[in-house]
């Protein structure tokens, strides 16, 4: 916005541009991202990539301006139960793109280990990215889900949920669908090895026995 004299508000100029889609690198649960390579109206080839923040951040070029600020905002989004993604891009020289596209096509038509070969070639181009920003959406629960989960819990049925969400998002959604309640004692277990996980579990269980009372989430 901004002040300024004269009449009514500022005018918005709508520009229509046509992008040629060159390649699409599909999303899967292992990659946790998808990319599209396009040719812009100015002739440049650009890769646009969206995916989980951890996956995008480890593929960013060094020394970018808004990475820390964006991470803080992602944490805020996750704490409110929103599902988040990061978006980034990379401009490619024609020669680099042509060489990569040839290898990508070769991987796509491979008779052996096609998926692994495609994934390796995709890794080669999904790097040195420039962060564009982050998105956050509300993925509403289906009607009746909280009531159904609460009924199962009252019947004494143990419920386990496997999710790819950020930890903060998963906890928030667990409360909204009544998988967790404020009366439960929740325990957060983060570990990277089997031994570390076992030690952390023993510690949490010992704390529960000492503290007594309340359920565990």
């Amino acid at each position: 916005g901004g002040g300024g004299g004269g009449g009514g508000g500022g005018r918005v100029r709508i520009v229509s541009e046509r992008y040629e889609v060159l390649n699409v690198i599909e999303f899967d649960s292992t990659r946790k991202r998808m990319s599209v390579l396009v040719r812009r109206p100015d002739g440049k080839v650009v890769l646009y990539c969206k995916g989980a923040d951890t996956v995008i951040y480890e593929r960013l070029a060094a020394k970018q301006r808004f990475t820390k600020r964006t991470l803080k905002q992602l944490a805020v989004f996750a704490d409110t139960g929103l599902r988040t993604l990061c978006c980034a891009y990379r401009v490619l020289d024609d020669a680099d793109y042509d060489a990569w596209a040839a290898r990508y096509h070769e991987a796509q038509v491979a008779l052996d280990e096609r998926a692994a070969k495609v994934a390796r070639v995709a890794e080669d181009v999904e790097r040195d990215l420039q962060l564009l920003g982050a998105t956050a959406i509300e993925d509403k629960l289906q009607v009746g889900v909280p009531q159904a989960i609460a009924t199962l819990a009252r019947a004494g049925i143990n419920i386990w949920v496997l999710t790819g969400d950020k930890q903060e998002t998963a906890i928030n959604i667990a409360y909204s669908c009544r998988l967790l309640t404020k009366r439960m004692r929740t325990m957060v277990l983060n570990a990277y090895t089997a031994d570390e996980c076992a030690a952390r579990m023993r510690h949490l269980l010992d704390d529960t026995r000492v503290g007594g009372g309340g359920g565990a989430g």
Side-chain angles (χ1 to χ4, degrees), residues 129-151:
L129 302 177
Q130 300 294 319
L131 183 65
L132 279 171
T135 64
I137 62 170
E138 180 183 7
D139 191 0
K140 292 186 177 180
L141 296 171
Q142 294 185 16
V143 175
V145 167
Q147 293 81 1
I149 291 178
T151 300

Side-chain angles (χ1 to χ4, degrees), residues 74-86:
L74 283 166
V76 172
F77 290 150
D79 283 339
T80 58
L82 300 179
R83 297 187 184 277
T84 59
L85 288 174
C86 282

Side-chain angles (χ1 to χ4, degrees), residues 136-177:
I137 62 170
E138 180 183 7
D139 191 0
K140 292 186 177 180
L141 296 171
Q142 294 185 16
V143 175
V145 167
Q147 293 81 1
I149 291 178
T151 300
L152 291 172
R154 285 198 301 272
I157 298 174
N158 292 324
I159 305 169
W160 296 77
V161 175
L162 180 65
T163 176
D165 283 323
K166 289 175 67 65
Q167 181 170 287
E168 298 86 351
T169 303
I171 292 172
N172 190 285
I173 292 175
Y175 279 112
S176 67
C177 72

Side-chain angles (χ1 to χ4, degrees), residues 99-114:
W100 175 85
R103 291 191 294 113
Y104 188 61
H105 176 72
E106 184 179 334
Q108 285 182 307
V109 298
L111 297 179
D112 299 319
E113 300 181 345
R114 180 182 302 168

Side-chain angles (χ1 to χ4, degrees), residues 109-128:
V109 298
L111 297 179
D112 299 319
E113 300 181 345
R114 180 182 302 168
K117 290 178 180 178
V118 167
R120 284 196 294 269
V121 177
E123 285 278 356
D124 290 342
V125 77
E126 293 170 324
R127 59 180 176 80
D128 298 328

Side-chain angles (χ1 to χ4, degrees), residues 1-171:
R11 294 184 178 181
V12 177
R13 186 167 67 95
I14 299 175
V15 177
S16 178
E17 294 184 339
R18 183 180 295 273
Y19 288 68
E20 177 189 359
V21 177
L22 302 174
N23 305 94
V24 176
I25 307 175
E26 299 290 351
F27 173 91
D28 66 42
S29 58
T30 301
R31 287 169 37 78
K32 296 183 181 179
R33 64 190 184 279
M34 74 167 291
S35 296
V36 58
L37 289 100
V38 301
R39 190 176 298 279
R40 295 192 315 207
D42 62 5
K44 291 187 179 295
V45 175
V46 184
L47 175 140
Y48 292 100
C49 184
K50 69 173 183 178
D53 58 341
T54 52
V55 171
I56 298 298
Y57 265 68
E58 65 189 16
R59 288 166 175 78
L60 293 178
K63 298 180 180 179
Q64 298 195 42
R65 184 176 177 186
F66 296 109
T67 51
K68 291 183 179 180
R69 186 183 304 180
T70 302
L71 276 179
K72 290 180 181 179
Q73 194 60 55
L74 283 166
V76 172
F77 290 150
D79 283 339
T80 58
L82 300 179
R83 297 187 184 277
T84 59
L85 288 174
C86 282
C87 303
Y89 76 98
R90 177 189 175 192
V91 180
L92 284 78
D93 293 335
D94 282 348
D96 290 339
Y97 170 71
D98 290 342
W100 175 85
R103 291 191 294 113
Y104 188 61
H105 176 72
E106 184 179 334
Q108 285 182 307
V109 298
L111 297 179
D112 299 319
E113 300 181 345
R114 180 182 302 168
K117 290 178 180 178
V118 167
R120 284 196 294 269
V121 177
E123 285 278 356
D124 290 342
V125 77
E126 293 170 324
R127 59 180 176 80
D128 298 328
L129 302 177
Q130 300 294 319
L131 183 65
L132 279 171
T135 64
I137 62 170
E138 180 183 7
D139 191 0
K140 292 186 177 180
L141 296 171
Q142 294 185 16
V143 175
V145 167
Q147 293 81 1
I149 291 178
T151 300
L152 291 172
R154 285 198 301 272
I157 298 174
N158 292 324
I159 305 169
W160 296 77
V161 175
L162 180 65
T163 176
D165 283 323
K166 289 175 67 65
Q167 181 170 287
E168 298 86 351
T169 303
I171 292 172

